[in-house]
Amino acid sequence: MSQEVTHNTDRKRFVITVDGETAGHADYVTPSDDVRDFNHTVINPDFRGKGLSSPLIKTALDETREAGLKAVASCSAVQHFVSKNPEYEDLIRR
């Protein structure tokens, strides 16, 4: 199973594909120039239960950090990921 996460900046969305097929996405809004508010994460029904939300959210947060931005975890999936991965706590703006 080949998976890839890409950043669609026009749609403000990180997309995970599996073997070339879209498996899910993490959407965000930008309430200010230095913040991405992750407000919606979806794994498509055919791909649920395969552990795809973690690499999707990890990549989204890693790229947010690399861009010098902060993140808001409005989405419960992102909140859960951060609670299980405390190394991302410093990235989250409360």
Side-chain angles (χ1 to χ4, degrees):
M1 178 171 79
S2 169
Q3 64 186 36
E4 178 182 21
V5 177
T6 56
H7 186 189
N8 182 330
T9 55
D10 292 339
R11 294 191 69 190
K12 296 183 178 179
R13 169 179 282 189
F14 286 85
V15 178
I16 188 165
T17 57
V18 175
D19 297 331
E21 189 174 346
T22 299
H25 55 88
D27 297 340
Y28 64 90
V29 294
T30 51
S32 65
D33 290 341
D34 63 341
V35 175
R36 288 182 183 153
D37 181 351
F38 289 92
N39 60 359
H40 190 61
T41 303
V42 173
I43 299 298
N44 298 336
D46 291 346
F47 294 94
R48 290 184 185 152
K50 300 181 186 215
L52 297 175
S53 64
S54 287
L56 172 61
I57 294 167
K58 179 184 184 319
T59 300
L61 293 178
D62 286 346
E63 287 194 20
T64 297
R65 185 189 305 276
E66 289 168 14
L69 305 173
K70 290 291 188 179
V72 173
S74 294
C75 171
S76 61
V78 176
Q79 291 170 9
H80 179 75
F81 178 87
V82 172
S83 74
K84 297 287 185 187
N85 297 277
E87 64 271 23
Y88 290 95
E89 281 290 335
D90 68 309
L91 183 64
I92 301 301
R93 179 170 288 170
R94 308 262 179 221

